[in-house]
Amino acid sequence: MTNFRLSALAIATLSATLVGCGGDSDSPTPEVVVETPAFEAPTTYTFANADDESTVSYSGQTARHILIADLKAATAAVSDSSTTADFDYFFRFNSDENGDNNFDFAISGQTLEQTTYNSISSGKDLVSKIAGNDPALLDGEFFGWGTVATPTALVDQYFSDLVTTADTAFTIETTEDDAAPVTIAYVSEHGLDYVQLIQKFLLGAVTFSQGTGDYLQTDFGAASNLTVVDGKTYTAAEHKWDEAFGYFGATRNFNDFTDDEIAVKGGREEFKGFNDADGSGLLDLRSEVIFGNSANCAKRDRGATVTTDFTKDAFDAFLAGRAIVAQASADGELTEELSELLDEQIEIAAVTWEKCIAATVIHYINNTIADMDNFDGDKFADVANFTDLAKHWGEMKGFALGLQFNPLSPFRADAASLDDLKDVLSLMGDAPVLADGTQAGVAFTGGVAQYKTDLLEARDLLRDAYDFDATNAADW
């Protein structure tokens, strides 16, 4: 491990290298003439104190990624209400009672270093860290799903509706069968895929909200945050930055992966979503496995016609910011110059992270429209046409709901911008428009054609808010 120190020359170098990152390939690079720097930002998320002890720790964030993954698997395993899992087991996880239980998360062909929840981190659940519980809702409001007032209430509603859906038999009209049965128990007759809605919403309301709305909002210059925590190797400032990074979900050697490998769409076998970086023969969930939205960044980079590099922009900002926090911790002071540079890295990390989510929403808008293009008049082409629509719409809406939790979001620039986000969610509605022109059992004014127009309007609002290239927005 390396103990980093930033000189004045290093600050100038970092400023020239990093300011302007964030996915905009057309941004000019500032011209700063400097000599060969005495410091280079690290390429891996590896930081140590003067005694060469690691100061990096975010095991609690990994534990919550595992809880979300296991909850997704539990919802996907439902076949009827008799097989409905106790979803609160994961959402309101009791570490004292169940922490020594084995988790279900696995990677085919790999041996994990951790096997139980508490072996990752003890005392962790999801509900205590959801937006509205911690941190408080921005502007005191939650919006985007009917009159549901809080993220916790929405998760509970999803759980309840899933149980009801699991025992509700229904048929749809397809080209070949006017009464084709739908046998996927977690998909409702109105086209709501609760597996996707629950998981994608939690990635926003827990991981994204915590990372951008809580930990990256830390007062990193406060004296109390720049002292070593009792019994630990790190300062509170270092730990809070690490916790934001942990929720992003990247491995510590994220720069060593290609986009194909992060997205598990090709590349080296030993880098497909994970990498045994220390060569131990075991995968450490706390450092060597990719989780959450960090993977979405690579997926959108892969699908961009006009080049983006969300993966590197976000990760490099996390690296540079952590190096600054490490320096401030070593000195016991965050200078004004370093504070300004840190603020830049916070904004790059938070907004690029959000861009990965927003681009993914656009991706699923496009998929939802494509599913609707496959309708055969007022019938579905087949059952897969219906279940694909439910899946893609659930991913679209679940991710979109999470865009409201970042205080640095472009949608938080002013009241008009926030109204645009509310319009995006309203245009999507709380259910897809089905082939017969109904939404949640009610005739939708203008039918399928109007709903496609509404989704394209939502896509345009997202494109403009993040200054995405129009070609990318159409192609994602």
Side-chain angles (χ1 to χ4, degrees), residues 416-467:
S417 299
L418 186 59
D419 285 343
D420 284 344
L421 177 57
K422 291 178 180 179
D423 286 344
V424 167
L425 293 167
S426 177
L427 288 163
M428 292 176 178
D430 294 344
V433 171
L434 304 183
D436 64 2
T438 63
Q439 184 182 57
V442 178
F444 184 78
T445 303
V448 171
Q450 181 59 51
Y451 189 59
K452 289 181 184 177
T453 299
D454 290 351
L455 291 182
L456 289 173
E457 182 180 347
R459 189 180 76 180
D460 289 348
L461 288 169
L462 292 167
R463 178 200 64 202
D464 294 345
Y466 300 97
D467 197 26

Side-chain angles (χ1 to χ4, degrees), residues 132-347:
N133 293 340
D134 177 26
L137 294 172
L138 296 176
D139 297 328
E141 67 170 341
F142 172 64
F143 55 86
W145 194 277
T147 59
V148 178
T150 68
T152 300
L154 183 56
V155 172
D156 285 336
Q157 179 177 313
Y158 284 159
F159 289 164
S160 176
D161 290 348
L162 173 53
V163 173
T164 300
T165 293
D167 263 353
T168 304
F170 66 95
T171 63
I172 60 171
E173 293 190 13
T174 68
T175 301
E176 295 185 355
D177 187 350
D178 287 343
V182 177
T183 58
I184 298 179
Y186 52 78
V187 174
S188 80
E189 61 185 322
H190 298 314
L192 299 179
D193 182 324
Y194 288 105
V195 171
Q196 299 301 333
L197 282 168
I198 292 167
Q199 185 219 11
K200 271 50 177 187
F201 181 59
L202 288 174
L203 287 176
V206 175
T207 66
F208 181 61
S209 169
Q210 280 285 297
T212 62
D214 189 354
Y215 291 115
L216 287 182
Q217 299 303 308
T218 296
D219 182 358
F220 290 102
S224 60
N225 285 330
L226 294 176
T227 57
V228 176
V229 177
D230 286 346
K232 304 295 183 181
T233 60
Y234 49 72
T235 65
E238 291 174 309
H239 188 46
K240 289 178 183 293
W241 187 275
D242 289 344
E243 289 177 299
F245 175 72
Y247 279 124
F248 179 61
T251 58
R252 298 189 194 180
N253 64 337
F254 202 56
N255 271 333
D256 293 341
F257 290 72
T258 66
D259 286 336
D260 283 350
E261 290 164 350
I262 296 169
V264 196
K265 296 294 184 181
R268 299 162 291 178
E269 289 298 321
E270 66 272 23
F271 278 87
K272 288 189 176 179
F274 58 84
N275 177 243
D276 180 18
D278 64 6
S280 68
L282 302 173
L283 287 181
D284 188 342
L285 292 170
R286 301 166 299 189
S287 59
E288 297 178 333
V289 178
I290 292 170
F291 295 104
N293 294 138
S294 64
N296 295 111
C297 293
K299 292 175 182 178
R300 302 294 79 82
D301 283 340
R302 292 181 72 252
T305 302
V306 178
T307 301
T308 62
D309 204 350
F310 298 145
T311 48
K312 188 168 179 60
D313 292 342
F315 186 63
D316 283 356
F318 273 114
L319 287 177
R322 183 55 166 82
I324 294 167
V325 172
Q327 182 63 62
S329 295
D331 293 342
E333 176 190 14
L334 181 66
T335 65
E336 182 178 350
E337 192 171 17
L338 283 180
S339 180
E340 290 177 359
L341 184 55
L342 182 62
D343 286 344
E344 292 166 358
Q345 305 318 309
I346 289 170
E347 184 166 7

Side-chain angles (χ1 to χ4, degrees), residues 87-93 125-127 130 155-156 159 202:
F87 303 130
D88 269 350
Y89 174 86
F90 307 101
F91 187 51
R92 295 177 170 86
F93 189 74
D125 62 29
L126 297 174
V127 67
I130 198 168
V155 172
D156 285 336
F159 289 164
L202 288 174

Side-chain angles (χ1 to χ4, degrees), residues 103-116:
F103 51 75
D104 294 323
F105 178 84
I107 299 175
S108 178
Q110 302 299 313
T111 302
L112 305 181
E113 183 173 325
Q114 297 81 25
T115 58
T116 67

